[in-house]
Amino acid sequence: MTLDLRSLTPDYAVAPQIEPEDLAAIKAAGFVLVIDNRPDGEIGGDLWADSMAIAAEAAGLRFVVNPVYPGEFTPDLVARQREAVETAGGPVLAYCASGNRSTVVWELMNAGQIPTDDMLTIAARNGYNHEPLRALIEAFARQG
């Protein structure tokens, strides 16, 4: 499998499901933190968060588990992601099945800080049509 890193900003990228053997390349690409947004129940045991955390730490990466269940974008989930990113100390890679949910969380984290149109353009440039999520993003922006 080819590693598919999609940069949303210079310090935040998303990816479809990664594997333990990808972690050395992720570290070499300059990332310091990997965020797992994929629930364990979606994948085989060799890719579960505990296994991936051990492999990430062995590669010299911090690893945070913040599972995103389809359609469940809560303020708490977004706050956990924001805290992980803000304390990372360097570039972050977030992954899920396709990178889509990790991108939505990034949009919600930045709602009200980056114009919605800009975020939707960035998502589209990386293969994600999030126009249908505009109202959700703008609702998060109003929450401050």
Side-chain angles (χ1 to χ4, degrees), residues 20 23 40 44-57 63 95:
L23 292 161
D40 283 348
D46 59 324
L47 299 176
W48 283 1
D50 289 346
S51 298
M52 292 298 292
I54 291 167
E57 290 164 12
F63 191 84
Y95 74 91

Side-chain angles (χ1 to χ4, degrees), residues 7-33:
S7 294
L8 304 184
T9 72
D11 291 320
Y12 190 93
V14 300
Q17 179 67 54
I18 62 171
E19 298 184 4
E21 52 269 18
D22 296 326
L23 292 161
I26 291 166
K27 174 73 172 172
F31 293 95
V32 299
L33 172 66

Side-chain angles (χ1 to χ4, degrees), residues 17 34-43 47-50 63-81 84 94-97 101-102 105:
Q17 179 67 54
V34 174
I35 301 175
D36 177 358
N37 289 138
R38 190 158 193 197
D40 283 348
E42 294 182 1
I43 47 180
L47 299 176
W48 283 1
D50 289 346
F63 191 84
V64 171
V65 180
N66 193 23
V68 179
Y69 294 89
E72 295 185 20
F73 299 102
T74 66
D76 285 346
L77 177 129
V78 173
R80 285 191 303 273
Q81 192 101 347
Y95 74 91
C96 57
R101 285 175 277 179
S102 296
V105 176

Side-chain angles (χ1 to χ4, degrees), residues 97-113:
S98 67
N100 185 59
R101 285 175 277 179
S102 296
T103 301
V104 175
V105 176
W106 172 79
E107 290 165 332
L108 299 179
M109 283 177 10
N110 289 289
Q113 298 173 16

